[in-house]
Amino acid sequence: MWPQSRNTAIEASLSSHLAADCMQLYLIFHSFDHRAFRWMMTMVFAVEEINHNSSLLPGVKLGYQIMDSCDHVHTSLQALFSLVSHSEALISEVKPTDETRTRSQMLRGRGNRIEGVKMLKTAQKRGDEIRLTLSHSSENNGNYIKENITEERVDSSTQSENLPSCLADSPVPVVIGLASSSPTRAVAHTLGPFNLPLVSYFATCTCLTDKHMYPSFLRTVPSDLFQVRGLVQLVTFLGWLWVGTLGTTDDYSQYGIQAFSNQFRQQGGCLAFHLTIPKSPRATEIQELADRLQSSTAKVVVVFATEGQLLDLLLELAQRNVTGIQWVASEAWVTASLLTSPHFHPLLEGTLGFSFPGVRIPGLKEFLLSVRPSPKPGMEFVNMFWEELFGCELEFRGARSKDNETMNTHTQVEAFGYKSDNSESLVKPIGGKTSIFNRSTDENNKGASKKPVCTGSEDLRYTDSSYTDVSQVRISYNVYKAVYAIAHALHALLNCDLAEYNNGMCERHKTFTSRHLLHHLKMVNFTNQFEEKVYFDSTGEPVPLYDIINWQKDSKSEIRFVKVGSYDGSAPLTSQLWMEKSAIVWTKGESQVPVSQCTAPCPPGSRQARRPGEPHCCFDCLPCADGEISNQTGSTECTKCPEYYWSDKDKVKCVAGIEEFLSFYDSMGIILVTLTLLGVILTTIITTVFHHFRATPIVKANNSEISFLLLLSLKLCFLCSLVFIGQPSVWTCRVRQAAFGISFVLCLSCLLVKTIVVLLAFRVNAPGSRALKLFGPSQQRTLILCTTAPQVCLCAGWLLSAPPFPFRNPTYQASTGKIVVECKEPWPPGFYLVLGYIGLLAFFCLLLAFLGRKLPDTFNEAKLITFSMLIFWAVWISFIPAYVSSPGKFTVAVEVFAILASSFGLLLCIFVPKCYIILLRPEQNIKKGMTGKFVR
C-alpha cells in the first residue's frame, strides 16, 4: 500500500470513501506523491532483480499485486478481503497455460504516503501440475514494467479445519505493507490469527511490538521506541529542555509523542505544549495552531507526522514569515522533498531529525527512468504519474475515457475502477463505486483540455523530482530489504540450498502453509550487498540504525539532506548517539545552537524557585541567603557554607568568616583602654599623694596600710580589664575571670574592714575601750585574707576543672556575617559563683556602711563607702541584663565597662575627698578635724 497523493484535503475525505472515492478525489486535486511512487517501483525492481538472480530462488519466480488502503482502517481491511476473495476467484479461472497476463493495480491512499499492499506469491501445487503465471510486459521503446504473479492452489489437506476458508485457502503467503501505523494495526490484527506474515516498510508505531496482539507482524523499519530514545538523547544533548510537540490523531503520532514525552520528562525536560493537527483541519484550526507556535517561548518543536499532514500548517507559517523555530523531525518527513521548495526555506532550513540509513541501490535509477506510459490496461498509475510530472495530457487519454464508459457492463473491474474486457483480468473491485469515478473522470477531462499533449516519449532524466532522486534511498531501501527478506525465507522454506539434488531448482512442488513461511521469515539472517546484516529479533524488529539528517542549503540555494550524525540503538548507552555539531546548520542558517528555555538559567549566586502550577522549567531566580552560595548556572538550591566560612558579596564562593573580637584597635577598644589607663594613672597619683602625706591624720586614720592595699586592689581592677581586650587566647581566657574575681574581692574585703573599723571606732563611748584593740591591724589583715581566700579557691577550682577556652562562635554569623572569637565557659556556674561572692561582700559592705552613715564625725568615711557601694551595686545590677543581651564582642565590652565603672566609683568616692582635704584643705587634716572637735 503506497501513499501516492499528498493533499491534506484529500486525506480528510479518504476517511469516508472507498477506493473509487479515493480515485475520484485524486483526479480532482491532481496531487501525486512522486516519492511514494518510487517506493512502489522499488518493490517492482526488487522482484525483477530476484527473478533474474539464479542463486536466489532458482526455478521460482515471484509475483505481486498492489492494492490501495487510502490510509484508512476500513478501506485497508476491505482491500485485504478483496484480495483474498479475488484470489479464490482467480484460481478457478487460471488455465494450465505457460503465460498469463496480469496487471498491477496501483492507487494512491494516504495524505502524502502510498499504502500499497504487495501480495507476493510463490509457485504452489495445483493437482499434480505447476502453473507459473508469467509476466505481462508493457513495452515502450524497450522499457517495461513486469508484474509477475505465480499462482498455486494449497492442498486441502493442509488447511486448518478451524480457520475460515477465506484466509485458510488464501494462495497469498505474505503481505508487504502498510506504511501507516493505524491501518497496519488493523490488518496485522486480522492476519495474526491465521499466521499470515505482514512485513511493513514504514509502520513504526511502538504498539506493533506486542507479539500477543500481532503475532505475524514483522518490519524492516525500527520501532519508534528506538527513535524516541534517540530523539530524547538528541534534544538533551543539545541542552533543549523546553520543547513543544506537534502531531496528528493517528497511532504513529500519538504513541510516538506519548513515549517521547514520558522519556523526556524522566530526563528533566519540560513540554511547553502539545499540538494536534486534526484529520480534516479547518482554516481556523490551522490558524490557532500557528498562533500557538508563534506565541510560545519554546523554540524547539518535535514533530511526529507526515509531510502531507503538516502541509497546511507549514503553509500558514510560511505565509506569516515565521522563522526561528528549530524543527526536530521524525523519520516520517525528515527526507520529504515536498517540503524543500523555496517557499519553505526560511521556515524549515536547519531542520534536524532521524532518518533510516540511506544507500545507493545499483540499477534502481536506470529502472525508474525506464518507466513509460502506455494505453494498455494496468498502466493507469504510470500514466497518472507521467501527466502529473510533465503537466500534460497523454494523447491516448481520450481512448481510455471511452473504454471507461463500458465499465459497468462487465463483471470484472480493475482496482482503479477501470474496466477491462480481458477475460484474464485478475483483480476485482474494492468498493464498486465506479459510477462516481466515471463522472469524476469526465469532469476532470473537461477541466484538463487546456493542458498540452505529451506523447510518452519525454525523458525522465531531465526532470527534478523525488521520484528520480535515488542518490540515498532510505524508505525505498526498507522496501528493498522486505522483498529480499521474504525471498530468503522462501529460499530456505523451499530447500533451495539443496538445488543441486533437484536439477538446480527449488522444491517447487513442496506444500507449505503461511505458518511455515512465517517461521522461516522470523529466522531470516543474511548479509545483503550493502554489507548490512538483515534479520528480525524476537519481536520482529530489525537492527535500530538511524542517520541524523540536517536540512542545509547548497550553493544553488537548494535544500539538501546532509548526514551530521548517527544513532545505533543496539550499542551501549554511552556510545549510541554520535553527532558532528560543527557541521550542523541551525534554524535561519545560524552556526550556534538555538536556545529554547522557559526561563533563562539562574546565574551563580542565585537559585531557582519554581512557579506554582507551572512546569519545573519555569521558575524565578532568587538570590542565595547570607552564608549560602551557588557557584553554577542553573542551581536549584544554594549550598550552605561550612562552619566558620561565609559567602562573599556575590554569593558565589565561601570565604573564611571574619573573626570579630574586642580589639585594641577598635574605637570601643581604644576608649576602654584609655579609660583603663586613666584609672591606673589616677590610682597611681592618689597612691603617691597618700604616700607623701602618710604621716597626716587623714592618711593614718583607719589604718593607712589598708588604704594602700585598697589602692593596690583598685589598680588591679583597672588592669584586669586589659585582659578582656584583644583576641582571646588560652591564657587570657583563664586569667581574665580569675583576675577580675580576685581583684574585686580583695578590694571589697578592704572596704569591709574599713567599714568595721569606722563602726568600732565611733560606737565605743567609754575611753580606753578594748573593742578597737581586739580588732587591730593583725585582725584586720586576717579578715581580709579570710574573705579573699574563698574566691581564690573558687577560681582555682574552676580553672583546674573546667577552664574557659577560646571559641569561634558562629551564632551571629547569619546576622552579621562575622564569627565572634570569645572565651567559652564550659561550666557557666563558675562565673556566676564568682560574681555572686563579689555581690555578697558588696552587700555586707553596703549594710555596715549604711549603719554608720550618721556618725557625728567631721569626716565620716562610712558615708563615702555607702555612696561608693550604691554606685557599685547600680553598675553590677545593670550589668547582668546588658551582659546577657549584648551580642558578640559587645558582651565583653559590657563587662569591661562594668569593671571600669565600679572601679572608678570606688576610687572617686573614697579617695578623691581625702585628696581634696590633703591638698586643698590642709587645715582640716588634723586630729581634731577628724574627730569633729575642730571649730570652724
Side-chain angles (χ1 to χ4, degrees):
M1 297 183 182
W2 308 105
Q4 291 292 25
S5 302
R6 57 171 184 249
N7 192 305
T8 53
I10 294 178
E11 182 182 4
S13 300
L14 294 182
S15 61
S16 59
H17 292 80
L18 300 178
D21 301 283
C22 298
M23 191 62 196
Q24 173 195 10
L25 290 172
Y26 169 77
L27 292 173
I28 293 173
F29 288 97
H30 289 284
S31 185
F32 196 92
D33 194 329
H34 301 167
R35 180 178 176 226
F37 185 60
R38 167 165 46 87
W39 301 346
M40 186 189 71
M41 297 308 297
T42 301
M43 184 215 65
V44 177
F45 169 77
V47 171
E48 291 295 320
E49 194 173 63
I50 292 171
N51 287 340
H52 288 84
N53 187 346
S54 60
S55 62
L56 187 61
L57 291 175
V60 175
K61 291 190 178 295
L62 301 179
Y64 56 84
Q65 183 173 348
I66 300 174
M67 306 287 291
D68 178 67
S69 72
C70 291
D71 192 29
H72 192 267
V73 172
H74 300 108
T75 313
S76 301
L77 292 174
Q78 194 167 11
L80 175 66
F81 293 123
S82 174
L83 171 70
V84 173
S85 61
H86 155 68
S87 301
E88 292 288 332
L90 171 64
I91 295 173
S92 63
E93 296 174 5
V94 175
K95 299 180 180 180
T97 59
D98 292 336
E99 295 186 1
T100 303
R101 307 179 75 183
T102 65
R103 300 168 185 79
S104 173
Q105 305 299 349
M106 312 164 196
L107 185 61
R108 185 263 171 220
R110 176 185 181 216
N112 67 330
R113 181 176 298 164
I114 292 181
E115 296 291 7
V117 180
K118 298 167 286 297
M119 310 302 177
L120 282 83
K121 309 173 185 179
T122 65
Q124 301 176 331
K125 290 184 65 177
R126 174 179 171 85
D128 296 328
E129 301 179 3
I130 299 295
R131 295 293 181 243
L132 299 179
T133 304
L134 301 181
S135 63
H136 145 253
S137 300
S138 298
E139 299 182 1
N140 191 331
N141 297 327
N143 299 305
Y144 60 88
I145 302 174
K146 281 189 177 182
E147 293 109 0
N148 296 331
I149 302 179
T150 304
E151 303 293 349
E152 166 189 306
R153 172 67 61 88
V154 181
D155 196 318
S156 60
S157 63
T158 66
Q159 298 178 12
S160 172
E161 295 179 356
N162 299 324
L163 298 181
S165 60
C166 63
L167 289 178
D169 290 342
S170 175
V172 179
V174 65
V175 179
I176 297 180
L178 300 76
S180 181
S181 295
S182 295
T184 301
R185 291 182 65 188
V187 173
H189 192 272
T190 303
L191 296 178
F194 307 103
N195 294 299
L196 281 171
L198 174 65
V199 184
S200 176
Y201 55 90
F202 208 14
T204 59
C205 180
T206 56
C207 55
L208 291 165
T209 308
D210 187 355
K211 292 294 102 178
H212 296 288
M213 291 289 292
Y214 315 106
S216 65
F217 176 77
L218 302 96
R219 51 186 165 190
T220 56
V221 55
S223 165
D224 280 335
L225 174 66
F226 301 101
Q227 180 182 205
V228 165
R229 290 175 182 172
L231 288 174
V232 171
Q233 289 189 35
L234 174 68
V235 296
T236 53
F237 173 76
L238 296 173
W240 296 330
L241 296 179
W242 180 244
V243 305
T245 55
L246 177 64
T248 61
T249 58
D250 59 14
D251 290 331
Y252 164 74
S253 179
Q254 291 183 350
Y255 277 89
I257 289 179
Q258 181 181 6
F260 174 83
S261 302
N262 294 337
Q263 295 187 32
F264 185 54
R265 290 191 181 99
Q266 292 175 4
Q267 297 299 319
C270 302
L271 291 182
F273 57 82
H274 169 58
L275 302 180
T276 301
I277 302 175
K279 193 167 183 65
S280 303
R282 299 186 299 272
T284 55
E285 293 174 327
I286 293 296
Q287 292 171 0
E288 290 175 0
L289 294 175
D291 292 340
R292 184 71 184 276
L293 283 170
Q294 274 189 286
S295 61
S296 176
T297 57
K299 299 305 177 185
V300 175
V301 181
V302 179
V303 183
F304 277 81
T306 63
E307 63 267 34
Q309 294 166 333
L310 292 173
L311 190 59
D312 284 348
L313 177 59
L314 295 180
L315 285 171
E316 177 67 21
L317 293 173
Q319 185 177 0
R320 298 186 183 191
N321 197 26
V322 175
T323 59
I325 297 178
Q326 178 62 53
W327 302 94
V328 178
S330 66
E331 93 295 336
W333 67 280
V334 72
T335 55
S337 300
L338 168 66
L339 303 178
T340 60
S341 64
H343 184 65
F344 295 118
H345 286 184
L347 176 65
L348 297 179
E349 182 185 7
T351 294
L352 201 65
F354 277 28
S355 178
F356 310 120
V359 297
R360 182 188 295 272
I361 302 178
L364 177 61
K365 185 169 185 176
E366 291 75 14
F367 178 82
L368 297 178
L369 294 177
S370 68
V371 172
R372 289 293 182 271
S374 171
K376 296 180 180 180
M379 299 298 293
E380 290 81 2
F381 208 29
V382 176
N383 297 342
M384 297 176 198
F385 161 71
W386 203 268
E387 292 182 339
E388 171 73 15
L389 181 62
F390 292 102
C392 61
E393 182 180 0
L394 290 167
E395 56 186 359
F396 52 77
R397 182 172 180 176
R400 183 183 66 186
S401 299
K402 292 180 180 179
D403 292 338
N404 292 337
E405 294 177 0
T406 60
M407 289 177 65
N408 292 328
T409 63
H410 295 276
T411 58
Q412 294 184 341
V413 185
E414 302 287 353
F416 284 84
Y418 284 96
K419 286 190 180 179
S420 173
D421 56 1
N422 192 336
S423 61
E424 297 177 352
S425 177
L426 304 180
V427 184
K428 282 195 173 183
I430 296 177
K433 296 189 178 182
T434 53
S435 59
I436 298 177
F437 167 75
N438 293 336
R439 290 194 299 271
S440 302
T441 304
D442 295 339
E443 294 171 3
N444 193 69
N445 289 341
K446 295 177 182 178
S449 58
K450 297 181 181 179
K451 287 185 178 181
V453 176
C454 46
T455 61
S457 60
E458 290 80 8
D459 198 338
L460 289 174
R461 291 177 297 176
Y462 302 107
T463 61
D464 183 16
S465 72
S466 57
Y467 172 76
T468 57
D469 182 11
V470 292
S471 57
Q472 288 287 312
V473 293
R474 303 176 189 277
I475 304 171
S476 298
Y477 181 47
N478 292 337
V479 176
Y480 188 81
K481 287 190 293 184
V483 177
Y484 265 86
I486 295 171
H488 277 270
L490 288 171
H491 189 88
L493 176 62
L494 299 178
N495 297 322
C496 297
D497 290 331
L498 303 177
E500 57 188 37
Y501 301 106
N502 195 23
N503 298 325
M505 298 294 178
C506 301
E507 295 184 10
R508 295 181 298 173
H509 301 281
K510 181 179 181 179
T511 300
F512 66 89
T513 64
S514 57
R515 182 188 298 274
H516 297 145
L517 178 58
L518 178 62
H519 171 72
H520 284 80
L521 193 55
K522 290 180 179 179
M523 303 301 294
V524 160
N525 193 330
F526 66 95
T527 302
N528 62 18
Q529 59 177 315
F530 307 104
E531 300 301 323
E532 180 182 347
K533 198 171 185 179
V534 180
Y535 66 93
F536 302 102
D537 63 13
S538 59
T539 59
E541 306 287 344
V543 179
L545 297 175
Y546 294 92
D547 289 341
I548 300 178
I549 302 299
N550 184 218
W551 292 26
Q552 300 182 8
K553 279 186 180 180
D554 60 11
S555 58
K556 299 180 181 179
S557 296
E558 296 179 352
I559 291 293
R560 296 300 178 193
F561 305 134
V562 180
K563 178 181 177 180
V564 294
S566 62
Y567 177 81
D568 184 357
S570 61
L573 182 62
T574 55
S575 57
Q576 290 179 346
L577 182 69
W578 170 80
M579 284 184 63
E580 188 177 356
K581 291 178 66 175
S582 60
I584 300 176
V585 174
W586 307 99
T587 179
K588 297 192 295 187
E590 296 179 353
S591 58
Q592 297 296 323
V593 180
V595 176
S596 180
Q597 52 195 17
C598 180
T599 306
C602 295
S606 61
R607 65 176 179 86
Q608 299 176 1
R610 185 172 176 179
R611 299 172 185 169
E614 297 187 29
H616 66 85
C617 297
C618 300
F619 48 81
D620 296 317
C621 294
L622 300 181
C624 292
D626 293 337
E628 297 181 347
I629 64 164
S630 66
N631 53 12
Q632 294 181 346
T633 301
S635 296
T636 57
E637 296 293 338
C638 295
T639 305
K640 190 174 182 179
C641 290
E643 191 175 20
Y644 308 131
Y645 282 81
W646 199 246
S647 56
D648 62 354
K649 63 177 182 179
D650 296 326
K651 309 294 178 62
V652 295
K653 64 180 180 178
C654 292
V655 296
I658 300 174
E659 295 183 347
E660 184 183 50
F661 52 87
L662 187 59
S663 172
F664 288 103
Y665 305 102
D666 289 345
S667 299
M668 186 177 297
I670 293 173
I671 293 173
L672 294 177
V673 170
T674 302
L675 293 175
T676 299
L677 295 177
L678 179 61
V680 172
I681 293 173
L682 186 58
T683 304
T684 304
I685 292 174
I686 293 174
T687 302
T688 302
V689 171
F690 267 57
H691 183 269
H692 183 72
F693 295 97
R694 62 184 177 277
T696 59
I698 199 168
V699 177
K700 292 172 64 177
N702 204 356
N703 194 341
S704 60
E705 182 182 346
I706 297 177
S707 297
F708 284 109
L709 185 59
L710 178 58
L711 287 170
L712 176 63
S713 65
L714 286 174
K715 187 179 292 186
L716 292 176
C717 289
F718 281 116
L719 291 175
C720 78
S721 63
L722 295 177
V723 186
F724 289 86
I725 303 174
Q727 183 172 1
S729 62
V730 175
W731 72 270
T732 55
C733 287
R734 295 187 177 187
V735 169
R736 59 169 59 176
Q737 298 296 358
F740 157 69
I742 295 173
S743 297
F744 267 88
V745 164
L746 180 59
C747 177
L748 291 175
S749 297
C750 293
L751 287 178
L752 181 62
V753 170
K754 273 183 165 292
T755 305
I756 294 174
V757 170
V758 170
L759 288 176
L760 292 176
F762 288 95
R763 288 293 181 181
V764 179
N765 297 323
S769 175
R770 296 181 60 187
L772 189 58
K773 293 180 180 180
L774 294 174
F775 194 68
S778 59
Q779 288 78 15
Q780 295 173 14
R781 286 191 292 270
T782 301
L783 181 59
I784 292 173
L785 180 62
C786 291
T787 53
T788 305
Q791 186 78 314
V792 174
C793 295
L794 180 61
C795 291
W798 179 25
L799 295 179
L800 291 175
S801 60
F805 58 89
F807 172 66
R808 303 174 71 190
N809 187 359
T811 304
Y812 306 103
Q813 194 172 12
S815 57
T816 64
K818 298 179 181 179
I819 298 173
V820 178
V821 183
E822 61 186 14
C823 292
K824 186 173 184 180
E825 314 288 349
W827 191 51
F831 172 71
Y832 294 107
L833 286 175
V834 169
L835 196 61
Y837 187 71
I838 293 173
L840 180 63
L841 291 181
F843 173 75
F844 283 114
C845 288
L846 178 60
L847 180 61
L848 294 177
F850 182 77
L851 295 176
R853 72 188 184 283
K854 294 184 179 180
L855 295 177
D857 295 359
T858 302
F859 185 81
N860 189 350
E861 194 173 20
K863 292 181 180 180
L864 302 177
I865 295 174
T866 301
F867 191 66
S868 65
M869 284 296 98
L870 289 173
I871 295 176
F872 184 89
W873 272 101
V875 169
W876 286 104
I877 288 175
S878 61
F879 158 77
I880 296 175
Y883 181 84
V884 173
S885 60
S886 298
K889 65 180 181 179
F890 298 102
T891 303
V892 181
V894 167
E895 187 172 359
V896 173
F897 178 80
I899 293 171
L900 294 177
S902 57
S903 299
F904 273 111
L906 294 176
L907 181 64
L908 297 177
C909 291
I910 295 175
F911 291 100
V912 170
K914 294 182 180 182
C915 290
Y916 172 77
I917 293 174
I918 292 172
L919 297 176
L920 300 179
R921 303 294 296 270
E923 68 275 9
Q924 295 183 8
N925 192 6
I926 59 175
K927 188 175 182 180
K928 290 182 179 180
M930 296 299 298
T931 60
K933 298 177 181 179
F934 177 76
V935 179
R936 291 179 175 85

